[in-house]
Amino acid sequence: MDHSSLSLPLFLLVLVAVSAGAASGINQNRKLGKSRPRRDLLDNGLGRTPQMGWNNYNHFPGKLNEKLIGQTANAMVSTGLAALGYEYINLDDCWAELNRDSQGNLVPNATIFPSGMKALAGYIHSKGLKIGIYGDAGTLTCARTMPGSLGYEEQDANTFASWGIDYLKYDNCHNNGTSPQERYTKMSKALLATGRPIFFSLCEWGQAYPATWAGSVGNSWRTTGDIKDNWGSMISKADQNDAWASYAGPGGWNDPDMLEVGNGNMSTEDYRCHFSLWSLAKAPLILGCDIRSMDNDTFELVSNKEVIAVNQDELGIQGKKVKKTGDLEVWSGPLSGNRVAVVLMNRGLSTANVTAEWSDIGLNSSVIFDARDLWEHSTTTSVQNQLDATLDSHACKMYVLTPH
């Protein structure tokens, strides 16, 4: 939810084991995340890989109803996206009445959700999917259309569990200036106490540096403000998120906000960079377009199994920006099986050649790799010393390198 527009109504950290890795040529080089802070994990068994799903806010801000949610769940299955791992159907702000009932319970808006949340959850579960809901760690949500959970954490957590909710996105508006760590921890404990596994997504916007403390509180945490559907916003979120790469890992992920792919204000190449960087960075892949009517270009981007596999890799190490020469960048990170993911990107306005030498991405210069181009679905064998590509403005290439 956009906290900047309040007036609108709306690891277990895993290190790459490479003693044998000298044979594979993969060094635990600082550019690939050698130094990784120890952190406690939220003990709810969720988020072993980054979450995947859909949220209404980017395309339908404040425009929720049960028909939209049901149709989106249907489309998630019929398009095949559910089979690729997109499992959460998440509601954002504006789903509840402004006032609690006489017992202090949250009440779904009867006009837009006449069947109620328990029935809606049952329908989504019948599709083999999971349902997410939105709350706020203050007194009101960001759109001011429904109550926040401050002071009602246990009651609201029990309500969500009784409805069959699987995911909570928890915003940070109207918080009275109180400690976010304290407020988010209270809801985390309340969710755990329900006995229902509920993925906890902290939407604190990165203001109190949640990467440094949220590993034991939630399964993901926003590292940025809200994304917008334009290149400048998207790429700045990638840059901000990159600063916290060493804190991510199985059980808890850095979140540079939801995907704008398919919402129409960027080019296909812009969106390809967007999806590539989010996948490499092990960011949540939460679709924000209307999947009921997405075009072929959008579908081909968000359904790329090879790119998704990088995001969902079991090693769970966030890829990072490892080289920058003006507007030309190399991003890279280790994968399981002694493989390495690489993104070459041209952020500039004119065509240019981008090169990643093995030393840039933490590799032994003598090792030979097979390079799989994940967008072209082609493999170049016996690649030595470097990767390079001539890229148009705002274009990228994404590869997985496998020792030959």
Side-chain angles (χ1 to χ4, degrees):
M1 187 67 205
D2 189 350
H3 67 284
S4 65
S5 56
L6 302 185
S7 61
L8 292 177
L10 254 69
F11 105 67
L12 279 261
L13 294 171
V14 195
L15 295 173
V16 192
V18 229
S19 48
S24 71
I26 299 179
N27 302 319
Q28 287 189 48
N29 163 297
R30 60 185 174 83
K31 293 177 179 178
L32 293 186
K34 179 180 178 182
S35 173
R36 304 178 64 75
R38 294 177 181 272
R39 65 183 178 88
D40 295 325
L41 289 171
L42 176 63
D43 188 22
N44 65 1
L46 302 174
R48 306 311 299 173
T49 58
Q51 69 269 38
M52 297 175 64
W54 175 89
N55 178 292
N56 69 281
Y57 180 72
N58 284 358
H59 196 86
F60 302 100
K63 298 177 182 177
L64 279 168
N65 60 72
E66 65 181 43
K67 181 179 179 182
L68 168 65
I69 300 305
Q71 289 178 345
T72 299
N74 295 344
M76 194 70 91
V77 174
S78 65
T79 58
L81 291 176
L84 295 176
Y86 294 97
E87 61 177 342
Y88 291 105
I89 304 294
N90 294 344
L91 286 60
D92 215 281
D93 202 347
C94 305
W95 60 265
E97 299 284 359
L98 179 59
N99 298 309
R100 295 172 179 271
D101 68 15
S102 59
Q103 284 77 47
N105 296 310
L106 292 169
V107 181
N109 185 307
T111 301
I112 56 177
F113 292 105
S115 302
M117 284 299 165
K118 190 168 186 176
L120 182 64
Y123 181 77
I124 289 175
H125 292 155
S126 76
K127 295 292 181 179
L129 300 170
K130 297 178 180 178
I131 184 171
I133 210 162
Y134 170 95
D136 188 275
T139 57
L140 280 172
T141 62
C142 295
R144 300 175 177 167
T145 63
M146 51 178 278
S149 292
L150 186 62
Y152 290 86
E153 289 87 355
E154 293 83 1
Q155 187 167 359
D156 291 352
N158 286 329
T159 296
F160 299 149
S162 73
W163 289 342
I165 299 300
D166 305 295
Y167 185 116
L168 175 62
K169 175 184 175 182
Y170 204 46
D171 222 330
N172 194 36
C173 289
H174 308 289
N175 58 52
N176 300 333
T178 52
S179 161
Q181 187 169 355
E182 182 178 326
R183 288 179 287 108
Y184 280 89
T185 297
K186 190 170 183 181
M187 178 55 85
S188 176
K189 291 179 177 177
L191 293 172
L192 285 172
T194 68
R196 180 175 181 81
I198 298 176
F199 190 106
F200 192 26
S201 170
L202 282 64
C203 186
E204 186 272 347
W205 323 313
Q207 292 185 347
Y209 314 117
T212 63
W213 53 263
S216 61
V217 177
N219 300 112
S220 68
W221 44 86
R222 283 277 294 279
T223 54
T224 71
D226 284 13
I227 195 171
K228 303 297 181 186
D229 187 17
N230 63 72
W231 172 266
S233 175
M234 181 275 290
I235 206 69
S236 72
K237 300 299 179 284
D239 289 341
Q240 293 167 48
N241 188 64
D242 187 50
W244 305 103
S246 62
Y247 292 90
W253 308 100
N254 291 316
D255 179 4
D257 206 7
M258 299 172 288
L259 292 163
E260 290 282 6
V261 179
N263 280 329
N265 287 331
M266 286 191 264
S267 70
T268 298
E269 289 304 313
D270 291 349
Y271 286 138
R272 192 187 317 278
C273 290
H274 184 8
F275 198 72
S276 297
L277 290 178
W278 262 237
S279 294
L280 182 85
K282 306 299 187 291
L285 298 183
I286 302 295
L287 302 174
C289 63
D290 186 352
I291 63 173
R292 302 172 304 172
S293 59
M294 60 183 162
D295 60 25
N296 289 336
D297 286 344
T298 299
F299 178 75
E300 288 180 8
L301 290 174
V302 303
S303 66
N304 187 316
K305 294 180 181 179
E306 297 187 78
V307 176
I308 291 171
V310 170
N311 179 263
Q312 297 290 297
D313 184 71
E314 63 183 1
L315 194 59
I317 294 180
Q318 179 173 327
K320 302 165 65 173
K321 186 188 303 186
V322 297
K323 181 182 181 182
K324 178 175 176 61
T325 307
D327 291 323
L328 311 181
E329 295 183 351
V330 178
W331 296 62
S332 184
L335 301 173
S336 59
N338 287 328
R339 297 170 302 138
V340 178
V342 182
V343 172
L344 308 181
M345 183 170 62
N346 177 9
R347 292 171 64 154
L349 299 178
S350 57
T351 300
N353 190 75
V354 183
T355 300
E357 297 180 0
W358 281 183
S359 59
D360 297 327
I361 51 182
L363 303 179
N364 187 313
S365 61
S366 66
V367 177
I368 300 171
F369 289 88
D370 293 339
R372 177 70 173 176
D373 185 324
L374 304 190
W375 290 112
E376 295 294 332
H377 304 294
S378 62
T379 302
T380 303
T381 60
S382 303
V383 180
Q384 302 182 58
N385 302 320
Q386 66 181 37
L387 278 174
D388 63 83
T390 300
L391 299 174
D392 292 336
S393 171
H394 292 189
C396 71
K397 287 278 193 177
M398 189 170 188
Y399 302 91
V400 167
L401 301 180
T402 303
H404 185 66

